[in-house]
Amino acid sequence: MTVVARQFHLGSRPEGLPQTNNFQLVERKLEAPRTGQLLVRNRWLSVDPYMRGRMTGQKSYMPPFAVGEPLDGAAIGVVVESEDDRFSAGDVVSHFAGWRDFAITDASSATKIDRTIPEQAYLGPLGFPGFAAYIGMLRIGKPRAGETVFVSAAAGSVGSLAVQIAKINQCRVVASAGAEDKLRWLRDEAGADATINYKETSDMFASLRDAAPDGIDIYFDNVGGTHLEAALEAANDFARFALCGMIEQYNSEPVGPRNIYAVIEKSLLLQGFITIHNMSVWEDFQRDVTQWIVDGKVKWQETVVRGLESTPSAFLDLFSGKNTGKMIVDLREPGDTGTGGASP
């Protein structure tokens, strides 16, 4: 079977905020899958802030994207052809050959998904965003009942699960986001006890002090910048900071917190982490979050854009906060509405 795939390549390395002309949509003929490979037709694509760092060409925890070569990322697709006994045509799998409509991928890097849960959930709460929340909150934050937790970018795919994991562990949660509808969802659905609209405050620390008058014991950082400085000011002695991301500085020159001495003064723990360094607990994560979803303890939101051509603009919208929850691209064909489960 001959397939011509449409795929996005990195056309040039962006300076500052990426632009649509940094991406090129090209067609490439795919060879038939070889032994141990799958031909997959993608149904859902993930775009995530970490991808911006891979566009710089600098060495990091993941290889940089090469100019003129395909971009990649998490995706959900259906197997069209299989050259591996573990998979059959029609299986729905998660894999990492995103930013395209068809892909040849190694079977060893694909995973069959449980379709009793909406399949796109494996890009959000049951994917690497959810895994980041799980690791940061439980392995670094180590929440104890009655503690106060502050989560920035709390309406996103990572932050919203971090909020709910803290609530499952009987903590008081302060959540920051940039729109009133997002804050309402965090209070009414995710269970946040107090919220801060960071776009409406001129003094982040004063707002955090009002929301957490007794200080904070855990900070889950997705933003950096002024949020991190405010958290350092509000931190109680021996507070734990899980540093997951710093989207405020992804498109500009990084600036360190001016009050970093608080780390010494208050005996704080600040620990960054990368999901791929914690794969030993992946099965625990899948078990726990699946059960929380079944029990109604975890909810999530999605911002869905349709069509492969929309992938770059969906990615760029992450940096202006246009998404609520997980940003995903829907490649399903007309009439193909099955998700294998109820909507979130």
Side-chain angles (χ1 to χ4, degrees), residues 113-125:
I113 65 171
D114 176 1
R115 298 193 71 205
T116 61
I117 290 172
E119 58 194 33
Q120 67 272 28
Y122 288 85
L123 298 179

Side-chain angles (χ1 to χ4, degrees), residues 71-117:
L71 299 159
D72 60 36
I76 303 294
V78 61
V79 175
V80 178
E81 290 186 34
S82 172
E83 294 297 330
D84 187 283
D85 292 340
R86 293 169 293 179
F87 297 90
S88 301
D91 287 343
V92 178
V93 298
S94 63
H95 62 96
F96 209 69
W99 289 79
R100 66 199 84 183
D101 54 4
F102 284 87
I104 297 290
T105 188
D106 289 338
S108 60
S109 65
T111 304
K112 291 182 189 179
I113 65 171
D114 176 1
R115 298 193 71 205
T116 61
I117 290 172

Side-chain angles (χ1 to χ4, degrees), residues 243-300:
L243 306 180
C244 181
M246 296 190 176
I247 195 170
E248 187 176 299
Q249 302 184 37
Y250 284 176
N251 296 302
S252 61
E253 190 68 26
V255 178
R258 293 165 296 181
N259 55 345
I260 192 66
Y261 185 72
V263 177
I264 299 171
E265 189 176 52
K266 301 179 181 181
S267 298
L268 305 180
L269 170 68
L270 274 64
Q271 183 174 338
F273 65 97
I274 302 297
T275 53
I276 58 176
H277 297 159
N278 292 270
M279 296 307 294
S280 62
V281 297
W282 177 264
E283 291 185 3
D284 294 339
F285 155 69
Q286 289 283 304
R287 179 200 64 226
D288 291 345
V289 176
T290 297
Q291 190 61 55
W292 292 336
I293 289 173
V294 170
D295 292 344
K297 294 180 178 179
V298 162
K299 302 176 183 179
W300 70 97

Side-chain angles (χ1 to χ4, degrees), residues 143-159:
R144 296 185 287 267
E147 291 190 316
T148 297
V149 177
F150 176 39
V151 180
S152 58
S157 56
V158 178

Side-chain angles (χ1 to χ4, degrees), residues 198-220:
Y198 72 86
K199 290 185 178 180
E200 297 294 330
T201 181
S202 59
D203 188 335
M204 191 65 200
F205 171 60
S207 295
L208 181 56
R209 181 183 57 213
D210 291 342
D214 295 326
I216 64 171
D217 304 294
I218 298 170
Y219 174 46
F220 194 105

